[in-house]
Amino acid sequence: MELMLVSGNGCASCVSMLDIASNLAKKHNLDFIHHELEDDDKIVEKYGINKVPSVLLTDGDKLIAMVGGFQPYEILDMWIDYKINE
C-alpha cells in the first residue's frame, strides 16, 4: 500500500502536510509518494481530487481512501490506522 500526498505549488498547508504524511507513511510501513499538481495534472482526473492538500491511501492503482485538506498528525494517524484495518 502507498500513502500519497497531492499538493499544489505555493500551498502553505501542503508544505506542512509533507512532513506529516511522510512520517506517518514510515510509521505505518507504507510507501510514500508525493505529487505536485502542476507537474502531474492527470492525477486529478484519475482520483477525482478537488482540494489540496489531499492524502490518498492506494494499493497499486486502486484507491482505498482519500481525505482532503490539512489534517493534523494525530487525526491523520488515526485515519490511516482505521483505513488499513477496515
Side-chain angles (χ1 to χ4, degrees), residues 17 22-23 26 45 47 51 57 59 67 75 86:
M17 285 293 299
S22 64
N23 287 332
K26 288 176 191 170
E45 192 175 310
Y47 294 111
K51 181 184 287 193
L57 187 60
D59 192 0
V67 63
I75 300 298
E86 224 176 13

Side-chain angles (χ1 to χ4, degrees), residues 6-26:
V6 179
S7 61
N9 193 8
C11 168
S13 294
C14 299
V15 173
S16 298
M17 285 293 299
L18 186 56
D19 284 338
I20 293 169
S22 64
N23 287 332
L24 285 171
K26 288 176 191 170

Side-chain angles (χ1 to χ4, degrees), residues 48-81:
I49 296 168
N50 59 12
K51 181 184 287 193
V52 292
S54 285
V55 177
L56 293 76
L57 187 60
T58 59
D59 192 0
D61 282 339
K62 181 181 176 192
L63 177 64
I64 306 299
M66 177 171 54
V67 63
F70 177 82
Q71 304 297 319
Y73 182 95
E74 296 81 7
I75 300 298
L76 192 57
D77 187 25
M78 288 187 295
W79 179 82
I80 293 167
D81 191 51

Side-chain angles (χ1 to χ4, degrees), residues 15-38:
V15 173
S16 298
M17 285 293 299
L18 186 56
D19 284 338
I20 293 169
S22 64
N23 287 332
L24 285 171
K26 288 176 191 170
K27 177 182 178 183
H28 291 276
N29 297 313
L30 301 168
D31 292 330
F32 180 69
I33 302 167
H34 177 227
H35 286 281
E36 290 278 345
L37 283 181
E38 294 78 14

